[in-house]
Amino acid sequence: MSTYLETTHDVYKEAALTPDVGLCCTTNPIWELPGLKIPKIMQEMNYGCGSTVHARDLTNNPKMLYVGVGGGMELLQFSYFNRQKNGVIGIDVVDEMLEASRKNFIEAEAQNDWFKSEFVDLKKGDAMHLPVEDNSIDVAAQNCLFNIFKADDLKKAIAEMYRVLKPHGRLVMSDPTCEQPMNDTLRNDERLRALCLSGSLPISEYVKALTDAGFGTIEIRARKPYRILDPKNYPTDELIYIESIEVAAIKDPMPEDGPCIFTGKAAIYFGSEDYFDDKKGHVLVKNQPLAICDKTAGAIADLGRDDIFISESTYHYDGGGCC
């Protein structure tokens, strides 16, 4: 284990032994679903920066994998949608975090008459060597973990997720991102990296790492304020603004003309006909916005028409659209 990963291990070992409410900060409300009660200890150990639980990903009892278990909150939420023995696999490299989750599941059983600890199969393992079979997972997830990894380790971790997913399976993630450059002192600070701050990548680099692994469709579902690194508290001469994003990477075949990356753009046709058909699979009904990937947005813009409006990226995508 490299030095920075040893530091990360120690940080989360301590967070397992002594829950740290302020370790990560998410603005997401706790899920409220019929019959789902999340123990307070799980909420206190919610070491994520967003949510990876989306009902539309979780139909028909999907086999699920969650890497970096935290206090078990998202494992409990996933189990709500798959109430089968070992329907959800939780993997963590920190023994103390696995043990904390086991204890928290006992509390969850007491508060939720539908939940059984056997729904979750907790395993020791790391993101770069997943103890999971090839092509066996419908939905894989990680929350505020991959941003910690340096480039080579990130590449391995994404490749492992790709390996275990079934065709058309999806990797759902939330991570901090940063569009500003960071100095080497920040980048090389092992504790700040472990705290999900100084490893933050620009969105374009984050997405490229996913498409380089072979994911043919990328959905950016949310982009939110996260943290500020300021000169009074961090080794930086300027304010650095960090956001968190929620992304789904789908194991679709890679299109010949490159991946479909949805960043929340839409096209609206307002011409004289009832619809516009570009003869490439994109039909724009008059005055009806159509979600389009960035690649399609570029191709339509290149047509030079004066009766089609293409929005800027909203970094919010709810599915459907051109692809």
Side-chain angles (χ1 to χ4, degrees):
M1 185 183 294
S2 65
T3 303
Y4 87 94
L5 291 178
E6 290 174 350
T7 300
T8 301
H9 181 281
D10 292 343
V11 166
Y12 289 95
K13 175 182 176 179
E14 183 60 32
L17 296 172
T18 306
D20 184 352
V21 177
L23 184 64
C24 288
C25 175
T26 173
T27 57
N28 286 64
I30 300 299
W31 271 67
E32 295 185 10
L33 294 168
L36 173 62
K37 296 181 180 179
I38 298 175
K40 182 179 179 181
I41 183 63
M42 284 187 173
Q43 298 180 40
E44 292 175 348
M45 297 179 68
N46 177 22
Y47 303 138
C49 61
S51 178
T52 62
V53 184
H54 300 274
R56 73 169 182 269
D57 298 327
L58 304 175
T59 58
N60 301 317
N61 295 317
K63 182 73 172 183
M64 289 175 274
L65 167 68
Y66 190 73
V67 182
V69 301
M73 187 180 82
E74 285 184 284
L75 289 167
L76 174 63
Q77 292 172 329
F78 281 128
S79 295
Y80 184 90
F81 296 92
N82 184 341
R83 305 179 186 190
Q84 302 178 45
K85 184 177 181 179
N86 298 332
V88 183
I89 300 172
I91 293 176
D92 207 296
V93 73
V94 181
D95 291 319
E96 292 79 6
M97 198 65 80
L98 290 168
E99 183 58 29
S101 289
R102 289 189 182 96
K103 292 179 179 178
N104 293 347
F105 289 148
I106 295 173
E107 180 66 25
E109 284 185 336
Q111 296 186 28
N112 296 273
D113 56 12
W114 60 268
F115 178 70
K116 298 179 181 179
S117 293
E118 67 179 21
F119 293 167
V120 182
D121 182 14
L122 289 174
K123 296 183 178 183
K124 173 93 177 269
D126 70 77
M128 289 163 278
H129 306 89
L130 295 174
V132 180
E133 295 181 359
D134 295 359
N135 305 307
S136 62
I137 300 296
D138 294 296
V139 178
Q142 65 83 23
N143 194 335
C144 215
L145 171 64
F146 280 9
N147 74 100
I148 294 173
F149 294 141
K150 294 183 178 180
D152 289 344
D153 291 337
L154 177 61
K155 183 177 180 180
K156 294 175 184 176
I158 293 174
E160 276 291 271
M161 289 292 209
Y162 188 89
R163 174 184 67 80
V164 304
L165 282 170
K166 298 176 183 177
H168 305 294
R170 55 192 58 205
L171 169 58
V172 185
M173 304 173 291
S174 180
D175 275 303
T177 60
C178 182
E179 300 303 313
Q180 296 170 253
M182 290 192 191
N183 61 53
D184 290 343
T185 302
L186 282 171
R187 289 292 188 197
N188 295 326
D189 188 308
E190 295 175 359
R191 183 169 178 80
L192 290 182
R193 182 174 285 272
L195 293 174
C196 302
L197 295 173
S198 64
S200 305
L201 296 174
I203 293 174
S204 61
E205 291 184 27
Y206 187 91
V207 169
K208 186 176 186 301
L210 295 168
T211 57
D212 284 350
F215 288 99
T217 302
I218 308 294
E219 302 177 352
I220 298 182
R221 295 175 168 179
R223 180 177 178 179
K224 306 174 183 178
Y226 181 62
R227 293 286 180 87
I228 288 291
L229 303 183
D230 67 279
K232 292 183 180 179
N233 296 288
Y234 299 92
T236 174
D237 293 330
E238 61 176 348
L239 286 178
I240 296 178
Y241 172 52
I242 300 177
E243 299 172 294
S244 68
I245 59 170
E246 295 175 12
V247 174
I250 303 173
K251 194 176 177 179
D252 289 336
M254 182 65 69
E256 291 184 3
D257 58 351
C260 291
I261 300 170
F262 290 87
T263 62
K265 290 184 177 180
I268 303 175
Y269 169 65
F270 52 94
S272 58
E273 305 296 328
D274 290 337
Y275 64 89
F276 167 77
D277 185 349
D278 72 349
K279 309 300 182 182
K280 295 181 180 179
H282 312 115
V283 178
L284 305 178
V285 178
K286 188 174 181 178
N287 294 324
Q288 297 296 314
L290 178 72
I292 54 175
C293 71
D294 289 6
K295 181 175 57 181
T296 298
I300 293 177
D302 288 343
L303 298 176
R305 297 183 65 104
D306 62 2
D307 55 4
I308 298 177
F309 172 81
I310 299 174
S311 75
E312 297 293 328
S313 296
T314 63
Y315 296 97
H316 176 78
Y317 176 70
D318 273 334
C322 74
C323 303

